Amino acid sequence: MKTIIIGGGLSGLASAYRMLKEDISDVTILEKGSEVGGMAASYHIGNYHIEKYYHHIFESDSELIGLIGSMGLGADLQWLKGTTGYHINGKIYPMNTPIELLKSPLSVPDLIRLARIVLVIRRAKEEEIYKLDCVTAKEWILKNAGRSVYERFFEPLLRSKFGSSHDRVSAAWLFGRIRIRSNRSTSGERLGYLRGGFHRLIKRLAESIVAMGGEIRTNCEVSEIGIVDGSVSGVTAGGRMDCDSVISTASPYALLKMIADAPDIPYQGTACALFGMNRSLMKDMYWLNIKSSVPFGAVIEHTNFIPVSDYGEHLIYVTAYFQDDSDPRWRSSEQELIDSYLGGLLELFPDFHRDDVSWWRLARDIDTAPVYMTDYIEKIPPYSTDIDGLYLAGMFSRTNYPERSMNGSILAGFGCAEEIRAHTRA
C-alpha cells in the first residue's frame, strides 16, 4: 500500500512516523516549502536555530512529550516559568502574582469575578464545554463577569488572537484556552521548551521516517489530487504520482486548489516578525498582550523565557493575525511591515531605539490557523472523507479544538494513521 502525505508539518510527520513504525503503509511526504516543519519550522541564525513562530508546550501535551522522549530528546525538554502582562491605557501591567494583579487596571470586584469564572472554567466537564460552541466568548464573559472584565482583560487577548473576528469566537475556545493553561503558580505559568529548539524534534522525526524507508520531497507542491470513480488514484506534483491513499494536512483553502470541494472552515493569516536585539525589551516579561492601536497584538520576548546565553542575543517576536488578503499586513512589502512593527514598538516602549535591532526575519502566511467561530464543531471534518482513500488531518482536526496546540496536530496525524489502518483491515 502506498500513501502520499501532502504537507510536512507536525501532522504530516506524525502520521508518516506512525504508519512506517507500525507497518501500515509505505509513505511519501510532499512538502511545498524548502524544508519540513510547517508552523514549527525554524530559522538558522549563526550557530543556533529558533522557531519562525513562537512555541512552547504544556504539561498536558502527553503525546508530544512522549514523541520527544522516543526521539531521544527527553532530557532536553525543560519546564520554565512564562510570565505575562497587558499593555493597557499606555502602561504595561505585569499580571502574574497576587500583588501585580492588585496593581492592575482591574478593580478588586473585577479580580474576584475573574477568579470566579476561571474556577468555573477549570472545573467544567468536557461535554459542558462543547455545549458552549454555539455561544460567543464575548457573550459568555459579559454575562458571567461583566463589561469591565471583558474590556480590560479578555478583549485584548481575543483581539490579539483573532483580530476583527474576535467578537465571533466561541466560548468553547475560551474554555479550552484557559484549561490548557491551568498550570499557573503565583509567579507565572509553567511551560515547556526543547532546549536547542523544536528544530531538533523535526530533524529527528524526518531522519526516522527516512531510516524506516519513507521518502520526503521538499519544494514539491501538489496541484491536483486525482480522483477516479470516487476513489483517490494519485496526485500531480510536477509529474504524476500514483498511490492508494492521500493524507492532506493542507488548510481547507489550499486543499480547494487540489480538489473540487473542501471543508468550509474559516482560516486567518499570521505575520510574525522576529527581531535579534542587543538588549532586553521587556526586562523579565515573556508575553505581553496589547490593547492599543499598534499593528500587532502581542510581543513575546523569547529570551525572557529561555536564557539569553543559549543564543548570545535577545530574541523578540512581534506578531499579528489578519483575516483576509486585503489586510496591509499581507499586502505590504516585508520592509514596509517591519517598519510599521518597529513604529509600534517605539510607541509602546519609549526607551526602545531602532539601533537596538541587529537583524530581523519575517514569517507570514495567508492561512495559518482556524478561526474558532461559533458552531465550529459542526464544520470539523472527520479523518475519512466521502472520497475513498482521501484523509484529512491538521490544525482543523477535532484534536485541535477547542484550542490548537502542537500536541493536537500530532494527535491528528496519529489518528489519521489509525484510520487508514482500520480502513485497510475492513
Side-chain angles (χ1 to χ4, degrees):
M1 180 178 176
K2 176 69 173 181
T3 299
I4 288 176
I5 299 175
I6 302 173
L10 281 175
S11 289
L13 293 170
S15 58
Y17 177 76
R18 174 63 63 88
M19 284 194 289
L20 290 165
K21 186 178 181 181
E22 301 188 7
D23 198 26
I24 297 172
S25 175
D26 294 331
V27 173
T28 295
I29 295 176
L30 304 181
E31 166 57 45
K32 69 177 181 179
S34 59
E35 59 183 350
V36 295
M39 292 295 291
S42 297
Y43 299 117
H44 188 190
I45 308 291
N47 61 352
Y48 66 83
H49 287 83
I50 179 68
E51 290 78 21
K52 295 180 179 180
Y53 301 90
Y54 52 90
H55 283 290
H56 51 240
I57 69 173
F58 307 96
E59 285 191 321
S60 58
D61 292 343
S62 55
E63 287 76 18
L64 174 56
I65 293 169
L67 190 59
I68 289 171
S70 68
M71 293 293 111
L73 299 170
D76 295 325
L77 179 59
Q78 297 194 2
W79 298 94
L80 305 162
K81 182 179 70 175
T83 55
T84 61
Y86 277 76
H87 186 282
I88 304 173
N89 300 328
K91 185 177 179 180
I92 293 175
Y93 294 90
M95 300 188 76
N96 302 285
T97 69
I99 292 176
E100 287 173 347
L101 288 170
L102 288 172
K103 293 180 179 179
S104 76
L106 295 176
S107 66
V108 172
D110 281 346
L111 288 171
I112 294 172
R113 294 185 190 101
L114 176 61
R116 185 169 60 238
I117 66 168
V118 168
L119 185 62
V120 168
I121 289 172
R122 289 180 177 176
R123 290 178 173 177
K125 297 179 180 179
E126 187 170 328
E127 59 270 20
E128 295 172 332
I129 294 175
Y130 287 118
K131 288 179 181 179
L132 293 171
D133 178 68
C134 61
V135 179
T136 67
K138 179 178 180 179
E139 178 184 353
W140 190 89
I141 297 164
L142 288 174
K143 178 180 178 180
N144 291 278
R147 183 164 297 278
S148 178
V149 172
Y150 173 74
E151 292 180 347
R152 292 176 177 270
F153 188 83
F154 284 105
E155 188 178 25
L157 169 64
L158 288 162
R159 285 187 180 274
S160 72
K161 298 297 290 185
F162 299 106
S164 60
S165 299
H166 71 278
D167 57 354
R168 292 179 286 168
V169 173
S170 79
W173 171 82
L174 175 71
F175 273 55
R177 170 89 178 181
I178 290 176
R179 283 164 66 92
I180 203 173
R181 288 162 171 80
S182 61
N183 189 10
R184 177 178 291 278
S185 70
T186 57
S187 61
E189 187 175 12
R190 194 163 184 258
L191 303 170
Y193 187 79
L194 184 63
R195 295 296 281 273
F198 289 104
H199 161 80
R200 300 176 64 201
L201 172 62
I202 301 299
K203 185 173 184 289
R204 292 279 179 94
L205 267 175
E207 290 172 347
S208 297
I209 288 166
V210 172
M212 290 187 289
E215 183 181 9
I216 299 175
R217 299 187 189 182
T218 56
N219 297 309
C220 191
E221 184 170 5
V222 175
S223 59
E224 183 181 11
I225 298 173
I227 301 169
V228 176
D229 296 329
S231 299
V232 163
S233 61
V235 304
T236 301
R240 170 76 179 183
M241 300 176 63
D242 294 331
C243 64
D244 301 292
S245 59
V246 169
I247 298 176
S248 175
T249 67
S251 71
Y253 172 80
L255 180 62
L256 196 56
K257 299 177 182 179
M258 306 175 210
I259 59 175
D261 193 19
D264 180 22
I265 295 177
Y267 259 59
Q268 62 184 4
T270 309
C272 185
L274 175 63
F275 295 104
M277 293 180 56
N278 57 30
R279 69 175 186 87
S280 175
L281 184 66
M282 301 191 296
K283 296 182 181 178
D284 59 354
M285 188 179 297
Y286 171 49
W287 189 295
L288 181 69
N289 288 309
I290 299 161
K291 184 178 182 181
S292 176
S293 59
V294 296
F296 47 83
V299 177
I300 300 98
E301 187 157 348
H302 180 76
T303 42
N304 283 345
F305 177 50
I306 302 301
V308 68
S309 57
D310 282 20
Y311 308 96
E313 56 189 339
H314 300 269
L315 300 175
I316 292 94
Y317 291 98
V318 176
T319 188
Y321 293 96
F322 53 89
Q323 276 60 55
D324 58 68
D325 59 9
S326 66
D327 193 288
R329 287 163 292 197
W330 175 250
R331 297 180 63 87
S332 63
S333 70
E334 288 195 350
Q335 187 62 60
E336 288 171 337
L337 183 56
I338 291 298
D339 286 342
S340 73
Y341 277 11
L342 290 173
L345 291 177
L346 285 166
E347 183 178 334
L348 297 180
F349 304 98
D351 60 343
F352 168 72
H353 300 283
R354 294 191 180 214
D355 291 344
D356 296 330
V357 177
S358 304
W359 54 264
W360 59 265
R361 300 287 188 276
L362 178 65
R364 57 179 172 177
D365 205 324
I366 193 66
D367 52 354
T368 54
V371 181
Y372 298 124
M373 297 184 189
T374 51
D375 300 320
Y376 180 87
I377 201 168
E378 297 177 4
K379 299 177 181 292
I380 299 175
Y383 296 130
S384 296
T385 70
D386 292 336
I387 300 170
D388 185 36
L390 177 62
Y391 301 86
L392 306 179
M395 207 174 290
F396 48 79
S397 296
R398 179 66 176 265
T399 54
N400 270 316
Y401 186 67
E403 170 66 319
R404 60 186 171 88
S405 65
M406 296 170 71
N407 194 69
S409 293
I410 287 170
L411 273 171
F414 286 168
C416 212
E418 293 304 317
E419 188 81 1
I420 290 178
R421 184 210 297 272
H423 180 79
T424 57
R425 287 179 174 177

